[in-house]
Amino acid sequence: MSMRLSEGEVGKEYVIDEINTEEKVKRRMLVLGIIKSTKIIILNKKINGALIIKVRGTRIGVSKNVADTVTIMEEEKVKNARDKISIYRKS
């Protein structure tokens, strides 16, 4: 089940599924290492909706507007899906 980054819970680990924003913002996120399949942890949520996330060992602040354009999945669900795929590949 996918959700927006802004809907994630503090302290949980997620995997980025998709980024649906303008090209300029996508390029900036790429430079920061925020790309599809990257693991992130939500460290803090501010009252105004901004988030502090941990990406590849670095803390990064993300506005609510940007967080609304990033789709994430829970890390555990991604592992389960990969396990199911690997079972089929072994056959």
Side-chain angles (χ1 to χ4, degrees):
M1 181 178 113
S2 295
M3 67 179 100
R4 290 180 286 177
L5 178 56
S6 58
E7 298 170 337
E9 295 179 34
V10 173
K12 283 198 171 183
E13 196 168 299
Y14 297 96
V15 174
I16 296 177
D17 185 38
E18 195 172 3
I19 301 172
N20 296 310
T21 189
E22 60 188 78
E23 201 58 37
K24 182 179 177 182
V25 177
K26 275 187 183 180
R27 281 195 307 271
R28 179 66 179 143
M29 293 174 84
L30 173 67
V31 168
L32 294 171
I34 304 171
I35 58 174
K36 185 174 180 157
S37 300
T38 302
K39 293 180 185 180
I40 63 165
I41 299 172
I42 299 176
L43 299 176
N44 198 351
K45 281 188 174 184
K46 302 295 182 179
I47 294 172
N48 64 0
L51 302 172
I52 306 296
I53 60 173
K54 187 173 186 178
V55 180
R56 302 175 192 255
T58 303
R59 293 167 52 108
I60 299 173
V62 179
S63 71
K64 182 173 181 350
N65 292 339
V66 172
D68 284 340
T69 67
V70 178
T71 305
I72 57 173
M73 294 188 314
E74 289 185 46
E75 171 65 12
E76 186 175 302
K77 292 181 182 178
V78 172
K79 286 181 183 176
N80 290 341
R82 286 183 185 152
D83 290 344
K84 288 179 185 176
I85 291 169
S86 67
I87 289 170
Y88 293 115
R89 287 185 180 162
K90 290 178 184 176
S91 301

